[in-house]
Amino acid sequence: MFNYIWPLGLIVISNVFYQICTKSVPGGMDPLASLTVTYLVSAAVSLVLYLVLRKDGTLMGEYKQLNWAPFVLGIVIVGLEAGYIYAYKNGWAVSVLQIVQAAAVAVVLIYVGYVAYKEPFTVKKTIGILVCLAGLYLINSK
């Protein structure tokens, strides 16, 4: 059970700090310039953790297994992080942005799961979409 739960805890804690850090990028700083520091630190931490936690193999051996996904993920992460920074700079509240994007992503991923991964599309998921849309309306209405 622990192996099932700890990644969720890591995601939640990391996401809270992610939102705090993203909102705290200096107002006058270009978001893409700040991301260059972010990625240098991320690369260094990833390398250290790989070296400390690896069981077998080498980094070059791991790189031989590369496919398109890590390269596209790098591009997607820039879009994700730059989008958050720009959104905060343009006035989104930290208590609202995360909820709005999570609900929107959840709705889109239900369709992606159905089309790309043959995940079942159920009545409960349809109700969930409607609840997400109602929540988006309520959060964004004044």
Side-chain angles (χ1 to χ4, degrees), residues 96-114:
V96 174
L97 178 60
Q98 177 65 17
I99 295 169
V100 171
Q101 72 79 30
V105 168
V107 169
V108 171
L109 285 178
I110 287 173
Y111 292 108
V112 169
Y114 176 74

PDB file of all heavy atoms in Angstrom, residues 96-114:
ATOM      1  N   VAL A  96      -7.138  29.605  -7.299  1.00  0.00           N
ATOM      2  CA  VAL A  96      -8.101  29.352  -8.369  1.00  0.00           C
ATOM      3  C   VAL A  96      -7.452  28.665  -9.571  1.00  0.00           C
ATOM      4  O   VAL A  96      -8.015  27.713 -10.119  1.00  0.00           O
ATOM      5  CB  VAL A  96      -8.783  30.675  -8.799  1.00  0.00           C
ATOM      6  CG1 VAL A  96      -9.688  30.449 -10.005  1.00  0.00           C
ATOM      7  CG2 VAL A  96      -9.564  31.265  -7.639  1.00  0.00           C
ATOM      8  N   LEU A  97      -6.293  29.137  -9.981  1.00  0.00           N
ATOM      9  CA  LEU A  97      -5.661  28.625 -11.199  1.00  0.00           C
ATOM     10  C   LEU A  97      -5.487  27.111 -11.180  1.00  0.00           C
ATOM     11  O   LEU A  97      -5.819  26.427 -12.141  1.00  0.00           O
ATOM     12  CB  LEU A  97      -4.313  29.314 -11.439  1.00  0.00           C
ATOM     13  CG  LEU A  97      -3.530  28.841 -12.668  1.00  0.00           C
ATOM     14  CD1 LEU A  97      -4.323  29.074 -13.947  1.00  0.00           C
ATOM     15  CD2 LEU A  97      -2.182  29.540 -12.730  1.00  0.00           C
ATOM     16  N   GLN A  98      -4.970  26.581 -10.096  1.00  0.00           N
ATOM     17  CA  GLN A  98      -4.718  25.143 -10.007  1.00  0.00           C
ATOM     18  C   GLN A  98      -6.009  24.357 -10.151  1.00  0.00           C
ATOM     19  O   GLN A  98      -6.062  23.344 -10.845  1.00  0.00           O
ATOM     20  CB  GLN A  98      -4.009  24.808  -8.688  1.00  0.00           C
ATOM     21  CG  GLN A  98      -3.765  23.347  -8.461  1.00  0.00           C
ATOM     22  CD  GLN A  98      -2.810  22.710  -9.447  1.00  0.00           C
ATOM     23  OE1 GLN A  98      -2.071  23.367 -10.146  1.00  0.00           O
ATOM     24  NE2 GLN A  98      -2.834  21.403  -9.515  1.00  0.00           N
ATOM     25  N   ILE A  99      -7.073  24.820  -9.519  1.00  0.00           N
ATOM     26  CA  ILE A  99      -8.344  24.109  -9.582  1.00  0.00           C
ATOM     27  C   ILE A  99      -8.921  24.159 -10.999  1.00  0.00           C
ATOM     28  O   ILE A  99      -9.393  23.151 -11.527  1.00  0.00           O
ATOM     29  CB  ILE A  99      -9.347  24.696  -8.563  1.00  0.00           C
ATOM     30  CG1 ILE A  99      -8.838  24.443  -7.147  1.00  0.00           C
ATOM     31  CG2 ILE A  99     -10.734  24.111  -8.748  1.00  0.00           C
ATOM     32  CD1 ILE A  99      -9.586  25.201  -6.076  1.00  0.00           C
ATOM     33  N   VAL A 100      -8.866  25.331 -11.608  1.00  0.00           N
ATOM     34  CA  VAL A 100      -9.414  25.489 -12.950  1.00  0.00           C
ATOM     35  C   VAL A 100      -8.659  24.609 -13.947  1.00  0.00           C
ATOM     36  O   VAL A 100      -9.264  23.869 -14.730  1.00  0.00           O
ATOM     37  CB  VAL A 100      -9.397  26.974 -13.385  1.00  0.00           C
ATOM     38  CG1 VAL A 100      -9.747  27.120 -14.852  1.00  0.00           C
ATOM     39  CG2 VAL A 100     -10.362  27.784 -12.519  1.00  0.00           C
ATOM     40  N   GLN A 101      -7.333  24.653 -13.895  1.00  0.00           N
ATOM     41  CA  GLN A 101      -6.580  23.855 -14.857  1.00  0.00           C
ATOM     42  C   GLN A 101      -6.754  22.364 -14.587  1.00  0.00           C
ATOM     43  O   GLN A 101      -6.838  21.574 -15.521  1.00  0.00           O
ATOM     44  CB  GLN A 101      -5.103  24.263 -14.904  1.00  0.00           C
ATOM     45  CG  GLN A 101      -4.252  23.874 -13.730  1.00  0.00           C
ATOM     46  CD  GLN A 101      -3.799  22.426 -13.739  1.00  0.00           C
ATOM     47  OE1 GLN A 101      -3.615  21.815 -14.776  1.00  0.00           O
ATOM     48  NE2 GLN A 101      -3.621  21.873 -12.559  1.00  0.00           N
ATOM     49  N   ALA A 102      -6.824  21.962 -13.308  1.00  0.00           N
ATOM     50  CA  ALA A 102      -6.973  20.537 -12.986  1.00  0.00           C
ATOM     51  C   ALA A 102      -8.308  20.003 -13.499  1.00  0.00           C
ATOM     52  O   ALA A 102      -8.376  18.895 -14.049  1.00  0.00           O
ATOM     53  CB  ALA A 102      -6.837  20.310 -11.482  1.00  0.00           C
ATOM     54  N   ALA A 103      -9.364  20.777 -13.330  1.00  0.00           N
ATOM     55  CA  ALA A 103     -10.672  20.347 -13.820  1.00  0.00           C
ATOM     56  C   ALA A 103     -10.683  20.269 -15.339  1.00  0.00           C
ATOM     57  O   ALA A 103     -11.183  19.301 -15.921  1.00  0.00           O
ATOM     58  CB  ALA A 103     -11.757  21.302 -13.318  1.00  0.00           C
ATOM     59  N   ALA A 104     -10.102  21.273 -15.986  1.00  0.00           N
ATOM     60  CA  ALA A 104     -10.057  21.270 -17.456  1.00  0.00           C
ATOM     61  C   ALA A 104      -9.227  20.094 -17.979  1.00  0.00           C
ATOM     62  O   ALA A 104      -9.633  19.403 -18.920  1.00  0.00           O
ATOM     63  CB  ALA A 104      -9.499  22.595 -17.965  1.00  0.00           C
ATOM     64  N   VAL A 105      -8.089  19.859 -17.362  1.00  0.00           N
ATOM     65  CA  VAL A 105      -7.235  18.736 -17.771  1.00  0.00           C
ATOM     66  C   VAL A 105      -7.945  17.411 -17.537  1.00  0.00           C
ATOM     67  O   VAL A 105      -7.874  16.507 -18.380  1.00  0.00           O
ATOM     68  CB  VAL A 105      -5.867  18.782 -17.035  1.00  0.00           C
ATOM     69  CG1 VAL A 105      -5.093  17.493 -17.217  1.00  0.00           C
ATOM     70  CG2 VAL A 105      -5.045  19.965 -17.516  1.00  0.00           C
ATOM     71  N   ALA A 106      -8.641  17.281 -16.417  1.00  0.00           N
ATOM     72  CA  ALA A 106      -9.363  16.040 -16.125  1.00  0.00           C
ATOM     73  C   ALA A 106     -10.393  15.738 -17.212  1.00  0.00           C
ATOM     74  O   ALA A 106     -10.501  14.599 -17.675  1.00  0.00           O
ATOM     75  CB  ALA A 106     -10.040  16.134 -14.755  1.00  0.00           C
ATOM     76  N   VAL A 107     -11.115  16.752 -17.624  1.00  0.00           N
ATOM     77  CA  VAL A 107     -12.125  16.558 -18.670  1.00  0.00           C
ATOM     78  C   VAL A 107     -11.453  16.117 -19.976  1.00  0.00           C
ATOM     79  O   VAL A 107     -11.885  15.157 -20.619  1.00  0.00           O
ATOM     80  CB  VAL A 107     -12.952  17.845 -18.873  1.00  0.00           C
ATOM     81  CG1 VAL A 107     -13.813  17.743 -20.120  1.00  0.00           C
ATOM     82  CG2 VAL A 107     -13.808  18.117 -17.633  1.00  0.00           C
ATOM     83  N   VAL A 108     -10.388  16.790 -20.362  1.00  0.00           N
ATOM     84  CA  VAL A 108      -9.692  16.440 -21.608  1.00  0.00           C
ATOM     85  C   VAL A 108      -9.109  15.022 -21.521  1.00  0.00           C
ATOM     86  O   VAL A 108      -9.206  14.240 -22.475  1.00  0.00           O
ATOM     87  CB  VAL A 108      -8.592  17.476 -21.933  1.00  0.00           C
ATOM     88  CG1 VAL A 108      -7.729  17.009 -23.088  1.00  0.00           C
ATOM     89  CG2 VAL A 108      -9.221  18.833 -22.238  1.00  0.00           C
ATOM     90  N   LEU A 109      -8.538  14.673 -20.361  1.00  0.00           N
ATOM     91  CA  LEU A 109      -7.891  13.365 -20.234  1.00  0.00           C
ATOM     92  C   LEU A 109      -8.894  12.206 -20.241  1.00  0.00           C
ATOM     93  O   LEU A 109      -8.541  11.084 -20.610  1.00  0.00           O
ATOM     94  CB  LEU A 109      -7.010  13.306 -18.991  1.00  0.00           C
ATOM     95  CG  LEU A 109      -5.696  14.066 -19.106  1.00  0.00           C
ATOM     96  CD1 LEU A 109      -4.911  13.979 -17.806  1.00  0.00           C
ATOM     97  CD2 LEU A 109      -4.861  13.569 -20.280  1.00  0.00           C
ATOM     98  N   ILE A 110     -10.121  12.467 -19.850  1.00  0.00           N
ATOM     99  CA  ILE A 110     -11.138  11.414 -19.971  1.00  0.00           C
ATOM    100  C   ILE A 110     -11.300  11.033 -21.438  1.00  0.00           C
ATOM    101  O   ILE A 110     -11.339   9.856 -21.797  1.00  0.00           O
ATOM    102  CB  ILE A 110     -12.476  11.859 -19.337  1.00  0.00           C
ATOM    103  CG1 ILE A 110     -12.335  11.859 -17.817  1.00  0.00           C
ATOM    104  CG2 ILE A 110     -13.615  10.950 -19.779  1.00  0.00           C
ATOM    105  CD1 ILE A 110     -13.524  12.434 -17.079  1.00  0.00           C
ATOM    106  N   TYR A 111     -11.352  12.032 -22.303  1.00  0.00           N
ATOM    107  CA  TYR A 111     -11.479  11.768 -23.744  1.00  0.00           C
ATOM    108  C   TYR A 111     -10.194  11.170 -24.317  1.00  0.00           C
ATOM    109  O   TYR A 111     -10.245  10.258 -25.137  1.00  0.00           O
ATOM    110  CB  TYR A 111     -11.875  13.045 -24.497  1.00  0.00           C
ATOM    111  CG  TYR A 111     -13.274  13.481 -24.154  1.00  0.00           C
ATOM    112  CD1 TYR A 111     -13.495  14.597 -23.362  1.00  0.00           C
ATOM    113  CD2 TYR A 111     -14.372  12.762 -24.611  1.00  0.00           C
ATOM    114  CE1 TYR A 111     -14.789  14.983 -23.041  1.00  0.00           C
ATOM    115  CE2 TYR A 111     -15.662  13.141 -24.294  1.00  0.00           C
ATOM    116  CZ  TYR A 111     -15.861  14.256 -23.500  1.00  0.00           C
ATOM    117  OH  TYR A 111     -17.138  14.635 -23.177  1.00  0.00           O
ATOM    118  N   VAL A 112      -9.042  11.677 -23.884  1.00  0.00           N
ATOM    119  CA  VAL A 112      -7.765  11.121 -24.347  1.00  0.00           C
ATOM    120  C   VAL A 112      -7.660   9.650 -23.927  1.00  0.00           C
ATOM    121  O   VAL A 112      -7.261   8.794 -24.729  1.00  0.00           O
ATOM    122  CB  VAL A 112      -6.565  11.930 -23.804  1.00  0.00           C
ATOM    123  CG1 VAL A 112      -5.245  11.212 -24.053  1.00  0.00           C
ATOM    124  CG2 VAL A 112      -6.547  13.322 -24.414  1.00  0.00           C
ATOM    125  N   GLY A 113      -8.021   9.353 -22.694  1.00  0.00           N
ATOM    126  CA  GLY A 113      -7.984   7.966 -22.220  1.00  0.00           C
ATOM    127  C   GLY A 113      -8.875   7.060 -23.039  1.00  0.00           C
ATOM    128  O   GLY A 113      -8.506   5.927 -23.368  1.00  0.00           O
ATOM    129  N   TYR A 114     -10.033   7.555 -23.400  1.00  0.00           N
ATOM    130  CA  TYR A 114     -10.981   6.770 -24.197  1.00  0.00           C
ATOM    131  C   TYR A 114     -10.458   6.539 -25.614  1.00  0.00           C
ATOM    132  O   TYR A 114     -10.463   5.410 -26.115  1.00  0.00           O
ATOM    133  CB  TYR A 114     -12.336   7.481 -24.235  1.00  0.00           C
ATOM    134  CG  TYR A 114     -13.354   6.798 -25.100  1.00  0.00           C
ATOM    135  CD1 TYR A 114     -13.964   5.609 -24.680  1.00  0.00           C
ATOM    136  CD2 TYR A 114     -13.712   7.323 -26.331  1.00  0.00           C
ATOM    137  CE1 TYR A 114     -14.893   4.977 -25.484  1.00  0.00           C
ATOM    138  CE2 TYR A 114     -14.655   6.690 -27.138  1.00  0.00           C
ATOM    139  CZ  TYR A 114     -15.235   5.516 -26.707  1.00  0.00           C
ATOM    140  OH  TYR A 114     -16.156   4.884 -27.502  1.00  0.00           O
TER     141      TYR A 114
END
